[in-house]
Amino acid sequence: MKKIFFVALALVMLVCVSSASADVVIAFSQIGQESDWRTANTDDLRHAIENHPGWKLVYDDGQQKQENQIKALRNFITQDVDYILFTGVVSTGWDEVLKEVNEAEIPLLLIDRIPDCADKIDYVAAFGGDFVEEGRRQVAWAGEYLKSIGKGDTDVNIVIMEGTTGASAQTGRTEGNLKALKEYPHLKLVGQQSGNFTRAEGQAVMESWLKSIDKIDVLIAQNDDMALGAIDAIKAAGKVPGKDIIIVGCDSVKAAFDSIVAGEMNCTVECTPLYGKFVVPTIEALIRGEKFDKTVVHPEEGVFDMNGGIDLGTVKSIKAADVIATRQY
Ligand code: AHR
């Protein structure tokens, strides 16, 4: 009897030990924490993975440095993790390390920013914003809004505050911004500079523009953090944000909604950071042996402003105050 008990106990312990070591290890190389968007993105993925039974997250914050991210990816390979989630701070320079990931046969999921070498490497799934369309929406919103207030034929000075130079979110949004400007010849581009996707740099760039450019009517900021920094600079210069200068942000973070409701920001084009709901079912399906096409999935995104109803062709703006209570980030 005693013998049977000990054999059973040993079996139970064996099962426990093997199931403990059977955790699925998902490693995530994140850019850093430059914006509210990025914080929401990290929190969402962290929450989704860490709350999944049997899954473990290995997280690395690259602190905006490509070399840190390359080191992290090589560490993930050494640790022989089961899946790698990757968002690159810039688009180029990943070919070699991502080929190493492929050689190690670790399934790679691309999140948010898709690297330039995506065509040359293997990845099992990719989820990211349609940055060109987001950039187009920003300028189209300004053009259509001006028309709606009877200023469609008035010459207007516009500045574009860009994100981190070389990031696909910057190159894509700039492409969309500039393409859309051609549709609105009365919008005259008088400034274009990087604010590095941060609030502090957004404030600094706006401060210098306000000193060097005679008249700024519209600010297109490629993320909300820079728009909010610019708003601080505009107020400090004695101007009224949202009135003297029309402000269009991007991301649709909570602080941007608050700013729109307060009448300071005019519009924010959505770029969702919530990828957990895509990543979890994808990894579950990969574990079951399913495969996915090599296509980049773009989540559905909206445009939010003071009054709603601005028609941008692919989407109509929604009044921010009407949906603020339902926002998740
Ligand atoms: O790649 C997405 C962009 O990166 C977001 O717009 C920005 O806020 C972030 O830092």
Side-chain angles (χ1 to χ4, degrees):
M1 191 62 195
K2 216 174 175 184
K3 202 170 162 190
I4 294 173
F5 172 77
F6 280 116
V7 171
L9 186 69
L11 276 174
V12 169
M13 281 169 66
L14 195 69
V15 169
C16 289
V17 168
S18 59
S19 68
S21 61
D23 266 352
V24 173
V25 179
I26 300 164
F28 179 23
S29 168
Q30 174 64 291
I31 292 171
Q33 293 303 319
E34 73 281 8
S35 62
D36 284 6
W37 187 100
R38 189 65 54 198
T39 306
N41 176 247
T42 304
D43 290 351
D44 174 65
L45 282 164
R46 187 187 281 283
H47 185 265
I49 293 166
E50 289 180 343
N51 285 307
H52 192 291
W55 288 8
K56 189 178 152 216
L57 177 70
V58 175
Y59 177 76
D60 188 274
D61 179 331
Q63 299 185 3
Q64 312 295 322
K65 291 203 174 81
Q66 184 168 38
E67 66 263 32
N68 290 350
Q69 287 200 272
I70 291 176
K71 217 183 275 167
L73 289 167
R74 292 198 168 124
N75 277 337
F76 296 162
I77 295 172
T78 309
Q79 290 172 52
D80 195 22
V81 301
D82 297 303
Y83 295 90
I84 291 179
L85 309 184
F86 172 64
T87 301
V89 62
V90 288
S91 315
T92 55
W94 304 105
D95 309 44
E96 206 180 309
V97 71
L98 292 182
K99 271 191 196 132
E100 290 170 29
V101 169
N102 285 167
E103 278 156 20
E105 295 182 10
I106 302 173
L108 174 68
L109 285 84
L110 305 174
I111 312 289
D112 168 30
R113 300 180 184 174
I114 310 303
D116 276 4
C117 63
D119 288 348
K120 293 183 248 151
I121 53 153
D122 287 329
Y123 58 88
V124 291
F127 307 100
D130 185 344
F131 298 133
V132 178
E133 171 63 5
E134 288 164 6
R136 182 198 74 79
R137 289 178 179 186
Q138 287 192 292
V139 169
W141 185 88
E144 295 303 316
Y145 171 69
L146 287 164
K147 274 189 204 164
S148 78
I149 57 168
K151 290 193 177 168
D153 296 328
T154 316
D155 278 354
V156 153
N157 285 353
I158 184 166
V159 287
I160 296 178
M161 194 180 283
E162 297 182 359
T164 306
T165 305
S168 55
Q170 175 268 321
T171 53
R173 286 178 192 154
T174 302
E175 184 185 330
N177 289 160
L178 298 180
K179 247 192 213 161
L181 271 184
K182 297 202 175 103
E183 307 295 316
Y184 300 92
H186 293 285
L187 296 180
K188 310 282 178 206
L189 185 61
V190 294
Q192 187 176 359
Q193 198 178 320
S194 173
N196 207 19
F197 282 136
T198 69
R199 191 167 177 150
E201 285 172 74
Q203 180 171 355
V205 170
M206 194 64 187
E207 268 165 18
S208 93
W209 273 341
L210 288 167
K211 285 181 194 141
S212 60
I213 300 173
D214 279 350
K215 191 165 165 286
I216 299 173
D217 301 299
V218 177
L219 163 67
I220 302 292
Q222 289 179 355
N223 84 347
D224 289 335
D225 286 72
M226 295 189 296
L228 292 162
I231 287 173
D232 292 340
I234 293 167
K235 285 187 193 165
K239 292 187 187 293
V240 184
K243 294 197 172 57
D244 295 338
I245 301 179
I246 292 167
I247 297 161
V248 184
C250 189
D251 285 352
S252 304
V253 296
K254 204 95 209 236
F257 269 75
D258 290 340
S259 181
I260 293 174
V261 172
E264 296 187 335
M265 202 188 288
N266 301 75
C267 171
T268 177
V269 169
E270 189 175 29
C271 170
T272 183
L274 307 177
Y275 285 111
K277 60 177 179 250
F278 295 96
V279 166
V280 168
T282 301
I283 294 181
E284 284 173 343
L286 290 166
I287 291 170
R288 289 195 300 271
E290 290 175 33
K291 294 209 172 3
F292 295 90
D293 285 348
K294 245 184 124 185
T295 45
V296 182
V297 174
H298 297 308
E300 248 182 58
E301 292 167 336
V303 173
F304 306 95
D305 59 12
M306 312 95 68
N307 302 312
I310 302 287
D311 193 349
L312 304 175
T314 52
V315 71
K316 222 182 216 176
S317 70
I318 294 169
K319 186 173 172 176
D322 288 348
V323 291
I324 190 167
T326 66
R327 300 296 297 170
Q328 288 178 57
Y329 64 97

